Amino acid sequence: MGNDAPAEIVAISSQVVRGSVGNRAVVFSLEAMGHPVLSLPTVILPWHPGHGNSTRLALPDEGFSAILDDLAASPGAGGVRAVITGYFASSGQAQAAARFIGQLKARAPDLVYLCDPVLGDEGGLYVAEDIASVIRDQLIPLADIATPNRFELGWLAGAPLDSNAQALDAAIALGPRRVLVTSAVAMMAGGTGNLLLTDRHALLAEHRLVNDAPKGLGDLTAALFLSRLLKGDSDERALQMATASVFEILARAVKRGSDELMLAEDHHSFSTPMAMVQMRHLLHPSRNRTS
């Protein structure tokens, strides 16, 4: 995917005033990796709702859609090489994003779209079901890369996923060429990891589990994985380096007692992480089927 020019990326997700989640994590990390970023918030909050009651200002569907139409019609749209989407505040926003990505792909078929389907976690969906349905039915089919957590992949597949083998089967059925599943089932004791399925590889990147982790890990993982691929890294190296970066930043934040990832302090970990990650090659589901 890589070439000499830095890839310009459109980032669409939530925006917080304080913290390192949503587009705050995505934009900062992508820009630190050298990418020009066009950032569009879906909703503005003072902080992640997990920190307590917060005012929520969602962009109205009509205005959100009009901004995307302006971007699609602008002379600079031809320079966009990738789009990354995360949290949507309404099904109308998700539909507008699907139309926007379809327009860009019609003009530039090699444009890369990463869909981070922010739907929920083990506690269930935390977006309205109509939003989740649009992500499943309109955005996932456009995606070159999807980065669900294990719960989200299970919701998209219509069944809970209790093993990596089940997750791999669900990932291959999902459709995108690359599916990166966060919070995968660990093979090492006391660990966690990220599972990547491509047309050729099934890879698991593991590290020790860090308790009381701040929010934003999925946002950061998606952004760094996308950056690595756009810069020309192989799938395996992109997975390894993105996982190592996020683990290192997470461990340092927890050691400092922070309730947020400390991206400004740890920005060097984006490009040159020192943390060790255990890489495993798993049996690809396409090779585990009998005719």
Side-chain angles (χ1 to χ4, degrees), residues 139-202:
L139 286 170
I140 289 291
L142 290 169
D144 304 285
I145 308 165
T147 59
N149 63 36
R150 185 154 49 101
F151 166 82
E152 290 162 343
L153 179 60
W155 188 89
L156 292 166
L161 306 175
D162 299 321
S163 69
N164 286 334
Q166 291 175 336
L168 287 171
D169 284 339
I172 202 169
L174 192 64
R177 182 182 172 195
R178 295 176 174 91
V179 179
L180 193 167
V181 186
T182 58
S183 63
V185 178
M187 297 179 68
M188 60 185 284
T192 187
N194 297 322
L195 182 67
L196 176 64
L197 180 77
T198 72
D199 52 353
R200 298 178 55 199
H201 301 295

Side-chain angles (χ1 to χ4, degrees), residues 103-226:
Q103 290 171 331
L104 294 189
K105 278 182 166 284
R107 292 203 299 262
D110 60 344
L111 179 133
V112 177
Y113 169 44
L114 186 152
C115 178
D116 184 10
V118 179
L119 306 177
D121 53 30
E122 290 86 351
L125 287 177
Y126 50 62
V127 300
E129 191 156 345
D130 64 327
I131 299 174
S133 296
V134 173
I135 291 172
R136 178 192 63 205
D137 299 337
Q138 297 187 33
L139 286 170
I140 289 291
L142 290 169
D144 304 285
I145 308 165
T147 59
N149 63 36
R150 185 154 49 101
F151 166 82
E152 290 162 343
L153 179 60
W155 188 89
L156 292 166
L161 306 175
D162 299 321
S163 69
N164 286 334
Q166 291 175 336
L168 287 171
D169 284 339
I172 202 169
L174 192 64
R177 182 182 172 195
R178 295 176 174 91
V179 179
L180 193 167
V181 186
T182 58
S183 63
V185 178
M187 297 179 68
M188 60 185 284
T192 187
N194 297 322
L195 182 67
L196 176 64
L197 180 77
T198 72
D199 52 353
R200 298 178 55 199
H201 301 295
L203 302 165
L204 179 64
E206 292 183 290
H207 57 76
R208 66 176 175 84
L209 180 66
V210 178
N211 294 320
D212 301 318
K215 303 295 185 181
L217 302 177
D219 305 307
L220 189 57
T221 299
L224 292 176
F225 183 66
L226 175 62

Side-chain angles (χ1 to χ4, degrees), residues 33 224 228 241-242 244-246 248-249 252 263 265-274:
M33 293 290 281
L224 292 176
R228 289 280 177 183
M241 296 299 283
S245 293
V246 174
E248 187 168 295
I249 292 167
R252 288 177 173 170
L263 302 185
E265 291 85 346
D266 295 324
H267 63 90
H268 53 278
S269 296
F270 296 149
S271 58
T272 55
M274 302 298 290

Side-chain angles (χ1 to χ4, degrees), residues 8 38 68-80 100 104 107:
E8 187 170 84
L38 286 66
L68 288 177
D69 287 343
D70 289 345
L71 289 175
S74 69
V80 173
F100 171 72
L104 294 189
R107 292 203 299 262

